[in-house]
Amino acid sequence: MGNATSAIETSGDCHGTAARRQNNRDVFGAGVSAFRQELSGDGCPAPIPIREASMRARPRVVVRKRPLFEHEAAQDFDVLSCQGGTDVWGEGDAAALWVTRAMLAADHRTMYCEHHGFYADAVFGEAASTAEVYNAVLGGPLQHGSTTVLCFGQTGSGKTFTLAGIIDILREALPSGGGRWRVSALEVAGNAVTDLLHASARAADTAGEGGAEPSSSGAPCLLVGSAAEAIDAIVDAARHRSTHRTGVHDASSRTHAVYQLEPVDSEGTGRGAGGRLCLTLVDLAGSEWARDQVSHERARRKEAQEVNASLSALKACLAARASGVRLPARDTALTRLLRGPLEGEGRMVLIATVSPSSADAEHALDTLSHVGLPGRASLMRGEVAGSVDVDRPLPPSPRDWTSAEVVRWWLATSTAAVERINAEVAEAAAAGLRVVLRGAEWPPRTKLGLSFEPPGLADAPPTAPPTLSRVTPRTPIADASPLIRRGTRLVGCRLALAQEEGAPPEGARSDAGESLTAGIDHRAGASDAPPGRSGLLAELRRGSLALTRVADALDAAESEATRAAEAPRCLRPFACPADYAEEVPRKLDDDAALLRAWVVGGEAAQEEERRRIARRTEEEVEAEAAGRAASVAVARARLDEARAVLARAAAAARQVELEITFEPAAFGRAEVPRVPRHFSGASRLGQGDGKAFMNAFADPERGLRSLIVACEGDTRVAETLFQALCALAGTTPRTAD
Ligand SMILES: Nc1ncnc2c1ncn2[C@@H]1O[C@H](COP(=O)(O)OP(=O)(O)OP(=O)(O)O)[C@@H](O)[C@H]1O
């Protein structure tokens, strides 16, 4: 009933996969044709299971492949290949439907086809008519008892088309002789069940003739005079089913429909009290994937979740029936309605409808893996001729990149960065790398920011010089040379206390001791007795302490000198909140005293009081001025003292120099970071495209930090990638903290 004319809307990983398949449809199409030839030849690619008589009671599985629509054929290709026959109820060989997945290898260049075979009782190709499906499924057994036909599959794959065709054929096929029929039509949406018959105009008419009463299953039903009337009632009822436009289909059935019809005798009892004739036809709502729902509003998404939940419950029941465990039939309204057939009552046929489009291959795999007969063959085939054109220019905005393009950019940019870094490392390796850190220039409250590999973890003997495991970015030492990075080795350390006017800095001397001036150098020939790892680290720790101590002392002295220089200004009246707080209550007291004097002694008394207040204020002002002069003298003395302290601290800081020598080691060479799993296709979440890449790494705030993690802590490579990505994205990169 639906009309699948809307273009397929894709997003995220599916966009990349579908586009790649479309771009290379000739190559992949040839892969599918070659496989079909193999199927039609003598050598079967995989053994087909045999259906045995003992399995007679199990539900039969029929697969129907719909034709590729014209709009699909313009860009996609057919990935379904049928093998075997259409005998639904017989024994012997099963049939198979093969789904070909057009794939791209991890090198993002090599294309190959993966063929997955699913077994069924019968497989109908795109050329098969609904009449053929009907004959195979219902032609004979309809006469013999209760049969349930369930149509299952992706939205837009042909469930309603198949069931509507079957219902049409039944109009002719059912016995036309006079005899009453009981018919019911229910719509199931989530856990809500609606009677479609009584919602239809026809139902109102026929209710008068036949009357409405519950069927044997308890569902409201109609009694009608003939099979043709029963079919008409179902056709009318089906028109009242809810349909909506989905991402893949213009008139998708968003609910399940359960139609039931059975002949009854003159008392209205089902003729099959013993060998009951009853036909239940179920048109399930199409299963949707997230990509089919991208354009749905909230209500539609909720509806899709309910559909998927009830389908999962149905699949669980089918699986339970197959394995003989207890049915979870009470979970949803749908499974409660179908409890009888699910528990093994009568015959059951599952018609799985599948779309042949290359864009729907994964959907077909999903449908078939839920309904197929046990056993499945997966054939991994070799490469198909041709490979993805990696020399094609990348789209200008990373947002438009496919996952393969993300990988191309990542590999090219990080390889270039790594080659540049390693060239610099090689150049510096011979010369050694010496950094001098001066106390006078060292920022206060700053640590060295160097972490070392624990002994034994580094690829070197424990006695070897310590190896850097991490360098905190944006520290003076990280800024001193880009070559100081993970893997670099510490080979020398010397804390020099330059003697200024013969007076060593007090703090440094008391902490570090005289031996500091000797320094340590681990390089061969540079020291008589190599101090080893612990000696070097101890020396570095003492040097770091001396640096931070003098830098902090200098900073404190500078702050104190600044405060001291500003102190006299604080003595101005009312500048200080305490003064102000005192002034206001005093003024209130004075006003009260004036008023009291006027009440008690009249205007003369008040004038006398005013003069007293004025006198008192003058005395206070004089006292205050004297006090302020004294404070200024104190402040000046404090300022002189602070300046002296500052001069001493600055002299001390100038005397401290920490000289560190590094050796860029071979194993510290930069390496091309692995492409994050989400883009290489190795992630369970699927493949990410340019949009996901930008969200993860181009954010000015968090991007660099995420890249450092992705580059396994290699800050320099991460920074290069970050800057290049931000330039492409037109954002301003911010540095990591
Ligand atoms: N075997 C087929 N031959 C020709 N056309 C088909 C076939 N199967 C399906 N179609 C067409 O495909 C479109 C979608 O089919 P249909 O409405 O039956 O899908 P559906 O699986 O019921 O989808 P939904 O679950 O969304 O309701 C319709 O236009 C239908 O005519």
Side-chain angles (χ1 to χ4, degrees), residues 1-4 64 66-67 69 154-161 249 252-253 286:
M1 281 195 207
N3 174 13
R64 186 177 196 193
R66 74 151 163 79
F69 295 134
Q154 176 195 358
T155 180
S157 57
K159 296 178 296 296
T160 309
F161 179 88
H249 187 193
S252 175
S253 317

mmCIF file of all heavy atoms in Angstrom, residues 1-4 64 66-67 69 154-161 249 252-253 286, ligand 1:
data_model
loop_
_atom_site.group_PDB
_atom_site.id
_atom_site.type_symbol
_atom_site.label_atom_id
_atom_site.label_comp_id
_atom_site.label_asym_id
_atom_site.label_seq_id
_atom_site.Cartn_x
_atom_site.Cartn_y
_atom_site.Cartn_z
ATOM 1 N N MET A 1 0.809 -1.190 0.000
ATOM 2 C CA MET A 1 0.000 0.000 0.000
ATOM 3 C C MET A 1 0.845 1.243 0.000
ATOM 4 O O MET A 1 0.433 2.302 -0.379
ATOM 5 C CB MET A 1 -0.866 0.034 1.242
ATOM 6 C CG MET A 1 -2.033 -0.856 1.074
ATOM 7 S SD MET A 1 -3.211 -0.463 2.324
ATOM 8 C CE MET A 1 -4.046 -1.981 2.487
ATOM 9 N N GLY A 2 1.993 1.077 0.464
ATOM 10 C CA GLY A 2 2.855 2.253 0.516
ATOM 11 C C GLY A 2 3.388 2.611 -0.848
ATOM 12 O O GLY A 2 3.271 1.863 -1.799
ATOM 13 N N ASN A 3 3.952 3.760 -0.934
ATOM 14 C CA ASN A 3 4.530 4.207 -2.183
ATOM 15 C C ASN A 3 5.928 4.718 -1.908
ATOM 16 O O ASN A 3 6.119 5.775 -1.331
ATOM 17 C CB ASN A 3 3.643 5.323 -2.753
ATOM 18 C CG ASN A 3 4.257 5.934 -3.978
ATOM 19 O OD1 ASN A 3 5.202 5.379 -4.519
ATOM 20 N ND2 ASN A 3 3.734 7.060 -4.394
ATOM 21 N N ALA A 4 6.903 3.919 -2.241
ATOM 22 C CA ALA A 4 8.276 4.245 -1.850
ATOM 23 C C ALA A 4 8.931 5.156 -2.857
ATOM 24 O O ALA A 4 9.830 4.776 -3.577
ATOM 25 C CB ALA A 4 9.076 2.972 -1.692
ATOM 26 N N ARG A 64 10.970 -13.052 0.592
ATOM 27 C CA ARG A 64 10.556 -12.440 -0.676
ATOM 28 C C ARG A 64 11.387 -11.192 -0.923
ATOM 29 O O ARG A 64 11.421 -10.282 -0.076
ATOM 30 C CB ARG A 64 9.079 -12.062 -0.648
ATOM 31 C CG ARG A 64 8.659 -11.564 -2.012
ATOM 32 C CD ARG A 64 7.197 -11.233 -2.088
ATOM 33 N NE ARG A 64 6.821 -11.131 -3.489
ATOM 34 C CZ ARG A 64 5.682 -10.628 -3.924
ATOM 35 N NH1 ARG A 64 4.784 -10.221 -3.053
ATOM 36 N NH2 ARG A 64 5.433 -10.549 -5.215
ATOM 37 N N ARG A 66 11.968 -7.877 -3.014
ATOM 38 C CA ARG A 66 11.197 -6.993 -3.900
ATOM 39 C C ARG A 66 12.135 -6.470 -4.992
ATOM 40 O O ARG A 66 13.361 -6.507 -4.840
ATOM 41 C CB ARG A 66 10.552 -5.851 -3.108
ATOM 42 C CG ARG A 66 11.473 -4.754 -2.638
ATOM 43 C CD ARG A 66 10.737 -3.416 -2.534
ATOM 44 N NE ARG A 66 11.438 -2.438 -1.726
ATOM 45 C CZ ARG A 66 12.463 -1.723 -2.146
ATOM 46 N NH1 ARG A 66 12.992 -1.910 -3.352
ATOM 47 N NH2 ARG A 66 13.023 -0.823 -1.350
ATOM 48 N N PRO A 67 11.571 -5.967 -6.109
ATOM 49 C CA PRO A 67 12.445 -5.444 -7.164
ATOM 50 C C PRO A 67 13.107 -4.137 -6.726
ATOM 51 O O PRO A 67 12.616 -3.464 -5.815
ATOM 52 C CB PRO A 67 11.505 -5.182 -8.348
ATOM 53 C CG PRO A 67 10.144 -5.545 -7.907
ATOM 54 C CD PRO A 67 10.142 -5.882 -6.464
ATOM 55 N N PHE A 69 13.655 -0.409 -7.014
ATOM 56 C CA PHE A 69 12.849 0.670 -7.606
ATOM 57 C C PHE A 69 13.695 1.463 -8.599
ATOM 58 O O PHE A 69 14.922 1.480 -8.502
ATOM 59 C CB PHE A 69 12.351 1.632 -6.526
ATOM 60 C CG PHE A 69 11.390 1.010 -5.559
ATOM 61 C CD1 PHE A 69 11.537 1.205 -4.194
ATOM 62 C CD2 PHE A 69 10.338 0.229 -6.004
ATOM 63 C CE1 PHE A 69 10.658 0.635 -3.301
ATOM 64 C CE2 PHE A 69 9.452 -0.338 -5.115
ATOM 65 C CZ PHE A 69 9.618 -0.143 -3.752
ATOM 66 N N GLN A 154 11.965 -4.853 6.839
ATOM 67 C CA GLN A 154 12.289 -3.433 6.890
ATOM 68 C C GLN A 154 11.134 -2.621 6.315
ATOM 69 O O GLN A 154 10.380 -3.115 5.472
ATOM 70 C CB GLN A 154 13.552 -3.201 6.037
ATOM 71 C CG GLN A 154 13.963 -1.770 5.921
ATOM 72 C CD GLN A 154 14.973 -1.564 4.801
ATOM 73 O OE1 GLN A 154 15.368 -2.528 4.147
ATOM 74 N NE2 GLN A 154 15.370 -0.344 4.568
ATOM 75 N N THR A 155 11.016 -1.396 6.761
ATOM 76 C CA THR A 155 9.990 -0.532 6.207
ATOM 77 C C THR A 155 10.233 -0.342 4.699
ATOM 78 O O THR A 155 11.364 -0.212 4.261
ATOM 79 C CB THR A 155 9.960 0.810 6.981
ATOM 80 O OG1 THR A 155 8.954 1.618 6.413
ATOM 81 C CG2 THR A 155 11.253 1.551 6.937
ATOM 82 N N GLY A 156 9.168 -0.438 3.939
ATOM 83 C CA GLY A 156 9.263 -0.259 2.489
ATOM 84 C C GLY A 156 9.745 -1.484 1.740
ATOM 85 O O GLY A 156 10.055 -1.405 0.551
ATOM 86 N N SER A 157 9.786 -2.651 2.407
ATOM 87 C CA SER A 157 10.332 -3.828 1.715
ATOM 88 C C SER A 157 9.252 -4.679 1.066
ATOM 89 O O SER A 157 9.564 -5.614 0.334
ATOM 90 C CB SER A 157 11.150 -4.677 2.691
ATOM 91 O OG SER A 157 10.340 -5.049 3.783
ATOM 92 N N GLY A 158 7.965 -4.349 1.316
ATOM 93 C CA GLY A 158 6.905 -5.063 0.591
ATOM 94 C C GLY A 158 6.002 -5.932 1.446
ATOM 95 O O GLY A 158 5.327 -6.804 0.914
ATOM 96 N N LYS A 159 5.921 -5.685 2.729
ATOM 97 C CA LYS A 159 5.053 -6.500 3.600
ATOM 98 C C LYS A 159 3.585 -6.274 3.238
ATOM 99 O O LYS A 159 2.846 -7.212 2.989
ATOM 100 C CB LYS A 159 5.269 -6.116 5.084
ATOM 101 C CG LYS A 159 6.657 -6.396 5.589
ATOM 102 C CD LYS A 159 6.841 -5.967 7.023
ATOM 103 C CE LYS A 159 6.699 -4.476 7.225
ATOM 104 N NZ LYS A 159 7.690 -3.656 6.548
ATOM 105 N N THR A 160 3.209 -4.982 3.229
ATOM 106 C CA THR A 160 1.805 -4.672 2.962
ATOM 107 C C THR A 160 1.450 -5.090 1.537
ATOM 108 O O THR A 160 0.366 -5.623 1.286
ATOM 109 C CB THR A 160 1.561 -3.167 3.158
ATOM 110 O OG1 THR A 160 2.071 -2.812 4.426
ATOM 111 C CG2 THR A 160 0.101 -2.817 3.083
ATOM 112 N N PHE A 161 2.367 -4.883 0.603
ATOM 113 C CA PHE A 161 2.161 -5.265 -0.794
ATOM 114 C C PHE A 161 1.858 -6.763 -0.871
ATOM 115 O O PHE A 161 0.906 -7.195 -1.533
ATOM 116 C CB PHE A 161 3.425 -4.911 -1.585
ATOM 117 C CG PHE A 161 3.368 -5.274 -3.031
ATOM 118 C CD1 PHE A 161 2.841 -4.384 -3.961
ATOM 119 C CD2 PHE A 161 3.848 -6.495 -3.478
ATOM 120 C CE1 PHE A 161 2.804 -4.717 -5.311
ATOM 121 C CE2 PHE A 161 3.816 -6.828 -4.814
ATOM 122 C CZ PHE A 161 3.290 -5.943 -5.731
ATOM 123 N N HIS A 249 10.030 5.790 3.203
ATOM 124 C CA HIS A 249 8.798 5.293 2.637
ATOM 125 C C HIS A 249 7.710 6.335 2.881
ATOM 126 O O HIS A 249 7.541 6.825 3.991
ATOM 127 C CB HIS A 249 8.496 3.989 3.390
ATOM 128 C CG HIS A 249 7.349 3.223 2.837
ATOM 129 N ND1 HIS A 249 6.774 2.202 3.518
ATOM 130 C CD2 HIS A 249 6.685 3.334 1.692
ATOM 131 C CE1 HIS A 249 5.784 1.705 2.792
ATOM 132 N NE2 HIS A 249 5.729 2.388 1.690
ATOM 133 N N SER A 252 4.190 4.604 5.190
ATOM 134 C CA SER A 252 4.634 3.448 5.946
ATOM 135 C C SER A 252 3.610 3.104 7.015
ATOM 136 O O SER A 252 3.060 3.989 7.657
ATOM 137 C CB SER A 252 5.976 3.785 6.579
ATOM 138 O OG SER A 252 6.375 2.747 7.400
ATOM 139 N N SER A 253 3.344 1.810 7.190
ATOM 140 C CA SER A 253 2.409 1.396 8.237
ATOM 141 C C SER A 253 3.169 1.466 9.543
ATOM 142 O O SER A 253 4.157 0.767 9.726
ATOM 143 C CB SER A 253 1.963 -0.038 8.000
ATOM 144 O OG SER A 253 1.681 -0.223 6.644
ATOM 145 N N GLY A 286 6.949 -1.836 9.828
ATOM 146 C CA GLY A 286 8.336 -1.981 9.357
ATOM 147 C C GLY A 286 9.317 -1.599 10.448
ATOM 148 O O GLY A 286 9.108 -0.638 11.179
HETATM 149 N N1 LIG B 1 7.360 -7.476 -4.915
HETATM 150 C C1 LIG B 1 7.070 -6.216 -5.249
HETATM 151 N N2 LIG B 1 6.861 -5.903 -6.526
HETATM 152 C C2 LIG B 1 6.586 -4.615 -6.892
HETATM 153 N N3 LIG B 1 6.474 -3.594 -6.009
HETATM 154 C C3 LIG B 1 6.645 -3.854 -4.721
HETATM 155 C C4 LIG B 1 6.955 -5.177 -4.276
HETATM 156 N N4 LIG B 1 7.104 -5.127 -2.951
HETATM 157 C C5 LIG B 1 6.874 -3.853 -2.588
HETATM 158 N N5 LIG B 1 6.611 -3.097 -3.645
HETATM 159 C C6 LIG B 1 6.335 -1.639 -3.630
HETATM 160 O O1 LIG B 1 7.171 -1.094 -2.623
HETATM 161 C C7 LIG B 1 6.509 -0.055 -1.928
HETATM 162 C C8 LIG B 1 6.548 -0.346 -0.460
HETATM 163 O O2 LIG B 1 5.865 -1.531 -0.193
HETATM 164 P P1 LIG B 1 4.969 -1.751 1.100
HETATM 165 O O3 LIG B 1 4.100 -0.597 1.402
HETATM 166 O O4 LIG B 1 4.347 -3.077 0.982
HETATM 167 O O5 LIG B 1 6.140 -1.776 2.166
HETATM 168 P P2 LIG B 1 6.028 -2.220 3.676
HETATM 169 O O6 LIG B 1 7.114 -3.205 3.913
HETATM 170 O O7 LIG B 1 4.659 -2.597 4.044
HETATM 171 O O8 LIG B 1 6.446 -0.881 4.368
HETATM 172 P P3 LIG B 1 5.986 -0.324 5.802
HETATM 173 O O9 LIG B 1 6.454 -1.288 6.803
HETATM 174 O O10 LIG B 1 6.698 0.979 5.880
HETATM 175 O O11 LIG B 1 4.519 -0.203 5.736
HETATM 176 C C9 LIG B 1 5.107 -0.006 -2.479
HETATM 177 O O12 LIG B 1 5.052 1.053 -3.411
HETATM 178 C C10 LIG B 1 4.937 -1.341 -3.173
HETATM 179 O O13 LIG B 1 4.077 -1.203 -4.283
#
